């Protein structure tokens, strides 16, 4: 029994020890370790002199575009160009049968020669009668008849000369030449067709491609805004007529990035169209490589005034809400705020002008915006806003610029939230 009692006591002691350990383990608490602030890339905004520009739309147009018409009647005998080819001024493009008009010219020459001979005879007769009249051997009536014949002969020569000129003009119309340098469209009449029989017959069209115009319009509000800006400089809209050659203009086509074509404004309408409320403006561009064709849609940019210091940020840092565009700013304590901004125009280097909302002392989030929550603290890594100029491609176009001011792809990842593991629950004692 003694041995049995000893075993019982030992068992009770073991159970007490297990119970004590279990109670000690239950008294321990799970400790939550807050995650570190998320890492974002911030950069100070850039301020550079930027020219305010007016962005519009317009269309290209040929300076000269003329229909080539047959002005005399006859059969078309020759087409001396290839459809769509470039022709120099004076190049003969079409020929109409010349036999009839050459015969009319020869006839006019013969008539002129005959009339000139009659004039010589009439002049001699008049001089003879005038001499006889002085000697009283010819009556006044005879002298008057001689004078009338002479004057009639002079008029006949003038009439014959006019007929000769008309015949030469009609013969010249049998050759349709290019009135200026340009590209000629496809011919509309074939060789052997009778043209000019019921009026002028259109044969083709010639279009001058260099230089080339771009027409666009300003709305009434834009005209008034320009007028206000000019008034600040002590100028008026009428003063622009003297400065037209000095006003630059830039355009870009639909497949081009930016505004690669540069020219000058050469015409501003003197009045606003009351039915449309627009002012018509025209620019002229050199087109040596024929990169611009008439009738194309063009994006137009006209600079307004002198460059002024302007805040610039990357487009990729801008977000939008119901209140409008905004950026995430980080203060000195690395606390994120949402700042509403007023956007300006996109620059050639891919940066966006900001009209209001930011100053040069502000830092904005340029990478990791999805991890930055307004009102929360972040771990800020310093970055830099750099504009990226789009490189030219082989076809002369420019690809879209890469987002400016983006941190490199190997930026450190945000560590995952760490939480201390809870202690394991003790095993239940076995009975």
């Amino acid at each position: 029994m003694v041995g049995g009692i000893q075993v019982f006591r030992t068992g009770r002691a073991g159970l007490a020890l297990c119970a004590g350990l279990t109670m000690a383990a239950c008294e321990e608490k799970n400790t939550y370790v807050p995650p570190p602030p998320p890492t974002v890339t911030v950069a100070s905004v850039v301020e550079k002199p930027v020219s305010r520009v007016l962005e519009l739309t317009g269309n290209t147009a040929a300076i000269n575009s003329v229909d080539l018409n047959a002005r005399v009647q006859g059969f078309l005998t020759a087409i001396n160009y290839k459809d769509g080819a470039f022709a120099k001024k004076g190049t003969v493009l079409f020929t109409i049968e010349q036999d009839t008009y050459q015969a009319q010219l020869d006839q006019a020459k013969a008539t002129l020669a005959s009339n000139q001979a009659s004039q010589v005879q009439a002049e001699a007769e008049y001089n003879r009668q005038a001499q006889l009249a002085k000697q009283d051997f010819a009556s006044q009536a005879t002298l008057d008849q001689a004078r009338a014949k002479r004057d009639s002969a002079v008029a006949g020569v003038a009439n014959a000369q006019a007929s000769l000129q008309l015949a030469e003009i009609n013969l010249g119309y049998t050759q349709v030449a290019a009135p200026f340098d340009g590209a000629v469209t496809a011919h509309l009449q074939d060789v052997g067709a009778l043209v000019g029989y019921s009026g002028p017959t259109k044969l083709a069209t010639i279009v001058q491609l260099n230089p080339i115009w771009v027409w666009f319009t300003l709305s009434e509000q834009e005209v008034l805004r320009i007028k206000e800006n000019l008034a600040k400089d002590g100028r008026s809209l009428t003063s622009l007529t003297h400065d037209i050659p000095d006003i630059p203009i830039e355009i870009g086509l639909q497949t081009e990035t930016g505004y690669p074509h540069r020219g000058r404004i050469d015409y501003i309408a003197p009045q606003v169209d009351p039915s449309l409320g627009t002012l018509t403006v025209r620019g002229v561009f050199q087109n040596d490589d024929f990169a611009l064709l008439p009738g194309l849609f063009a994006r137009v940019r006209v600079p307004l005034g002198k460059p002024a210091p302007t805040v610039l940020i990357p487009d990729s840092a801008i977000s939008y809400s119901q209140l409008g565009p905004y950026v995430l700013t980080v203060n000195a304590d690395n606390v994120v705020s949402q700042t509403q901004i007023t956007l300006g125009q996109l620059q050639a280097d891919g940066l966006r002008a900001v009209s209001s909302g930011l100053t040069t002392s502000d830092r904005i989030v340029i990478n990791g915006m999805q991890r930055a929550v307004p009102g929360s603290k972040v771990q800020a890594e310093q970055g830099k806003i750099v504009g990226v100029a789009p490189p030219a491609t082989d076809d002369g176009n420019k690809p879209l610029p890469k987002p400016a001011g983006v941190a490199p792809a190997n930026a450190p990842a945000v560590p995952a939230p760490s939480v201390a593991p809870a202690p394991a629950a003790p095993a239940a004692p076995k009975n």
Side-chain angles (χ1 to χ4, degrees), residues 94-109:
F94 297 92
T95 303
I96 302 171
E97 62 174 339
Q98 300 176 323
D99 297 346
T100 302
Y101 301 98
Q102 183 63 51
Q104 291 175 356
L105 177 60
D106 296 339
Q107 185 180 26
K109 289 180 179 179

Side-chain angles (χ1 to χ4, degrees), residues 97-259:
E97 62 174 339
Q98 300 176 323
D99 297 346
T100 302
Y101 301 98
Q102 183 63 51
Q104 291 175 356
L105 177 60
D106 296 339
Q107 185 180 26
K109 289 180 179 179
T111 302
L112 176 61
S114 175
N115 289 345
Q116 287 174 339
S118 299
Q119 180 184 0
V120 171
Q121 182 183 6
E123 286 282 356
E125 180 63 22
Y126 170 73
N127 293 334
R128 185 181 307 109
Q129 294 298 329
Q131 188 66 26
L132 292 174
K134 289 179 181 181
Q135 300 174 2
D136 293 332
F137 290 110
S139 64
Q140 187 63 37
T142 304
L143 180 61
D144 291 341
Q145 290 178 358
R147 183 186 293 110
K149 288 182 179 180
R150 182 201 62 176
D151 294 343
S152 178
V154 171
V157 170
N159 183 54
Q161 288 175 339
S163 298
L164 176 61
Q165 292 178 355
L166 184 59
E168 289 175 345
I169 292 174
N170 288 334
L171 180 61
Y173 287 158
T174 61
Q175 291 184 328
V176 181
F180 47 78
D181 296 350
V184 188
T185 63
H187 62 277
L188 302 179
Q189 303 293 333
D190 297 325
V191 173
L194 180 61
V195 296
Y197 58 91
S198 61
T201 302
K202 184 177 178 180
L203 304 176
T205 301
I206 183 169
V207 181
Q208 183 175 351
L209 299 177
N210 185 32
I212 196 168
W213 280 335
V214 171
W215 291 89
F216 59 97
T217 57
L218 302 176
S219 67
E220 185 174 347
Q221 293 80 3
E222 291 165 339
V223 173
L224 295 177
R225 253 197 327 265
I226 294 174
K227 183 179 178 181
E228 292 176 358
N229 293 332
L230 290 173
K232 294 178 182 179
D233 298 334
R235 303 167 63 193
S236 63
L237 285 175
T238 56
S239 66
L240 290 180
T241 56
H242 304 288
D243 303 332
I244 283 179
D246 299 327
I247 303 177
I249 179 176
E250 301 172 348
I251 66 169
L253 304 180
Q254 295 190 65
T255 57
E256 295 174 336
T257 299
Y259 301 83

